[in-house]
Amino acid sequence: MEELKKKLKEQIIEALNLQDTKPEDIDDNAPLFGEGLGLDSIDSLELMVLLERQYHIKVEDPREGRKILQSVQSMAAFIQSKQPA
């Protein structure tokens, strides 16, 4: 799980062009939107595309997407839950 979270942070930084941010700057449990990383709705679309391209996971329900994209921790847990055992 730790390796997945580190990889996710790197992918988020790359996908959203957060040039001044390093993976270690992103707290696993900090909110990605609002007061946390400060992402917006356009960024959420980019993160959904990232999930689809990198992990072959398509999120259909926007309400589910909000829960999934709360933090790096919630994204990693969701990805792990969708991986074959």
Side-chain angles (χ1 to χ4, degrees), residues 48 58-69 78:
M48 294 301 230
K58 188 158 179 69
V59 179
E60 301 290 342
D61 184 351
R63 289 173 297 202
E64 186 182 17
R66 285 184 97 137
K67 290 181 199 165
I68 295 162
L69 299 178
F78 178 74

Side-chain angles (χ1 to χ4, degrees), residues 11-21 43:
Q11 291 170 329
I12 290 169
I13 290 167
E14 185 178 329
L16 302 180
N17 274 334
L18 304 175
Q19 289 127 346
D20 296 333
T21 307
D43 296 324

Side-chain angles (χ1 to χ4, degrees), residues 2-63:
E2 292 305 313
E3 190 60 37
L4 175 58
K5 288 190 279 191
K6 183 176 186 274
K7 184 177 178 183
L8 256 177
K9 290 176 187 180
E10 292 167 355
Q11 291 170 329
I12 290 169
I13 290 167
E14 185 178 329
L16 302 180
N17 274 334
L18 304 175
Q19 289 127 346
D20 296 333
T21 307
K22 298 182 194 89
E24 56 271 14
D25 295 339
I26 303 172
D27 184 312
D28 292 350
N29 297 304
L32 294 176
F33 298 87
E35 74 279 355
L37 205 51
L39 304 183
D40 60 23
S41 58
I42 302 296
D43 296 324
S44 70
L45 293 173
E46 291 286 338
L47 293 179
M48 294 301 230
V49 169
L50 182 140
L51 285 175
E52 196 170 335
R53 284 190 182 153
Q54 299 295 325
Y55 301 97
H56 310 290
I57 299 170
K58 188 158 179 69
V59 179
E60 301 290 342
D61 184 351
R63 289 173 297 202

